[in-house]
Amino acid sequence: MPEPLKNLLHEALVGDMTDRIAAHAPAFDRSRFVALATDGLGTLELMERSALIRDALFATLPDDFPKAAAILKASLPVSGRPGLSGWMLLPVNQFIAARGPDHFDLGLDLLKALTPHFTAEYGIRPFIHRDQQRALAIITHWVADPDQHVRRLASEGTRPRLPWAMRLPQLVKDPAPILPILTALIDDPEDYVRRSVANSLNDIAKDHPDLVAAFIAGHIETASPERRRLLKHASRTLLKNGHAQALANFGFGAATALTCELRLLNGEVRFGEGLDFEIRVMNAGETGQSLMIDYAIHHVKADGSLSPKVFKCKTIMLAPGQSHAIERRHAMRPITTRRYYPGEHRIAILVNGCESASQSFLLVMPD
């Protein structure tokens, strides 16, 4: 089993934090910080542990934020010298998020200095929430920074629906203010940054599908292979949902003169095993067709209704008269994001976003 995430914040890490802060703050109360930051630490989950250490920083760093910020900035690594880095900076993020917005420019500057050593995407969001126009005016300049981590922070930290972070309701409602940031980074030399741009566009697509489809249409012509991969990744939700413009952006038109057959190899599936099925498509038309073949599992919910989840399958080019067969197994096993219920489920085959075949199958739970 993998190590629980909560164990990334532990007593030894607190000890390292203490040494690295005290090296730049002779008056820092080492023993009090350690006592507060480790009191009950082992009983807490990850974010609770981080909050405990953050509260210990509240109690032991100066109440004057500029003085505390100077200590924290001096405690960051420089030219190979050890400093605050990695997971010890998660509670520092929380400290800055709580105290920094009252010292706006200084707080954002500290997060910019911090992000090469640990992501600051969670820390900048309270600044954007407090004063979006002012924050974005500063963050926009980061797209030209020589450090890839700072450039990524400009896109990742402004994502409207960043997982595990506070939502930015103004940007959920109107994402137009961050489009210039994403446009500036669309051809960034680092894949690390480009993937962040794609994820932000995918966030936006959940609320503004037509906007993102149009954005991609405007940037795909003569796109480099790297940009095209970014735009395809940004379109993943739109493509799964069968959005017509998004499909057209990547050459997937409405499938015509196409035969699609679905065969279940086991119509009854025991939970913990898998659904085995075969898809066969045939192009009966007179021209070749580019086909994106996905499948949706319509899961039974607690009230007996069905809820679909789309899964990627295969992209093919099918010549006139050509057929193609695909075999798949879909695992039906425990996952943390879904609760399974017994009963009649359904599998549907989607070709270029349209349902082309479907069958029901029975999910049986173990005794």
Side-chain angles (χ1 to χ4, degrees):
M1 292 290 290
E3 185 78 5
L5 281 176
K6 64 182 180 180
N7 291 344
L8 293 166
L9 296 178
H10 47 80
E11 291 190 5
L13 179 138
V14 171
D16 288 342
M17 285 187 70
T18 306
D19 292 339
R20 294 173 190 188
I21 294 172
H24 303 278
F28 184 63
D29 192 336
R30 300 170 58 103
S31 58
R32 187 177 182 215
F33 174 73
V34 170
L36 293 172
T38 59
D39 184 19
L41 185 71
T43 65
L44 304 176
E45 297 301 317
L46 177 67
M47 297 308 291
E48 294 172 324
R49 293 186 185 200
S50 183
L52 181 70
I53 300 170
R54 174 207 61 197
D55 291 348
L57 290 172
F58 286 158
T60 52
L61 286 175
D63 291 334
D64 181 79
F65 182 77
K67 292 180 180 178
I71 293 170
L72 292 173
K73 190 169 186 178
S75 302
L76 296 172
V78 176
S79 301
R81 183 200 70 196
L84 295 174
S85 61
W87 285 95
M88 63 181 71
L89 286 173
L90 180 59
V92 175
N93 256 281
Q94 294 180 319
F95 178 91
I96 300 167
R99 297 276 176 88
D102 290 333
H103 303 268
F104 211 86
D105 290 17
L106 178 61
L108 282 176
D109 181 69
L110 181 55
L111 289 169
K112 179 186 175 185
L114 179 155
T115 204
H117 311 289
F118 186 83
T119 182
E121 63 207 44
Y122 305 114
I124 71 169
R125 298 175 78 79
F127 292 80
I128 300 170
H129 188 71
R130 169 80 68 89
D131 190 334
Q132 178 175 293
Q133 184 175 358
R134 184 178 177 186
L136 293 183
I138 295 170
I139 294 168
T140 297
H141 291 291
W142 296 353
V143 301
D145 197 90
D147 192 298
Q148 62 173 317
H149 301 285
V150 176
R151 300 196 304 274
R152 179 182 179 273
L153 181 59
S155 60
E156 194 72 5
T158 57
R159 282 177 59 180
R161 293 175 173 270
L162 181 67
W164 292 15
M166 68 178 296
R167 189 163 292 182
L168 298 174
Q170 286 182 269
L171 291 177
V172 170
K173 183 178 180 181
D174 177 16
I178 62 172
L179 292 182
I181 292 173
L182 304 181
T183 301
L185 295 172
I186 202 169
D187 291 316
D188 194 273
E190 297 293 335
D191 180 65
Y192 172 65
V193 178
R194 295 195 304 271
R195 287 186 66 84
S196 174
V197 174
N199 288 335
S200 185
L201 287 168
N202 187 59
D203 273 5
I204 296 169
K206 294 171 184 176
D207 301 291
H208 305 276
D210 294 343
L211 173 67
V212 173
F215 178 93
I216 288 168
H219 289 86
I220 201 167
E221 189 175 354
T222 70
S224 66
E226 292 79 14
R227 183 197 286 190
R228 191 174 180 85
R229 281 194 293 271
L230 180 157
L231 297 176
K232 185 90 175 272
H233 194 54
S235 302
R236 60 192 184 275
T237 295
L238 297 179
L239 294 173
K240 283 184 176 182
N241 292 340
H243 190 281
Q245 177 63 62
L247 288 163
N249 286 340
F250 297 94
F252 301 112
T256 57
L258 188 80
T259 300
C260 180
E261 298 175 354
L262 168 65
R263 186 167 73 97
L264 302 188
L265 304 183
N266 55 334
E268 181 175 299
V269 181
R270 285 186 61 81
F271 184 63
E273 298 178 358
L275 174 68
D276 296 302
F277 59 97
E278 181 182 277
I279 307 165
R280 183 175 293 275
V281 290
M282 184 178 74
N283 182 5
E286 298 180 353
T287 59
Q289 299 190 65
S290 182
L291 304 178
M292 183 183 70
I293 303 171
D294 300 325
Y295 67 92
I297 301 292
H298 293 253
H299 296 278
V300 172
K301 297 169 61 177
D303 62 2
S305 63
L306 295 177
S307 174
K309 170 70 174 175
V310 177
F311 299 88
K312 302 305 294 179
C313 186
K314 196 170 188 179
T315 298
I316 59 172
M317 174 62 75
L318 210 57
Q322 185 180 14
S323 64
H324 186 82
I326 303 167
E327 293 185 357
R328 284 287 186 275
R329 161 169 278 211
H330 181 83
M332 305 291 286
R333 60 175 182 264
I335 57 174
T336 58
T337 55
R338 177 176 299 280
R339 183 172 180 181
Y340 288 89
Y341 296 92
E344 190 173 84
H345 292 55
R346 189 165 74 92
I347 177 173
I349 307 306
L350 309 174
V351 180
N352 289 1
C354 295
E355 184 172 317
S356 301
S358 71
Q359 287 195 42
S360 296
F361 65 95
L362 190 66
L363 179 63
V364 179
M365 305 304 283
D367 296 332

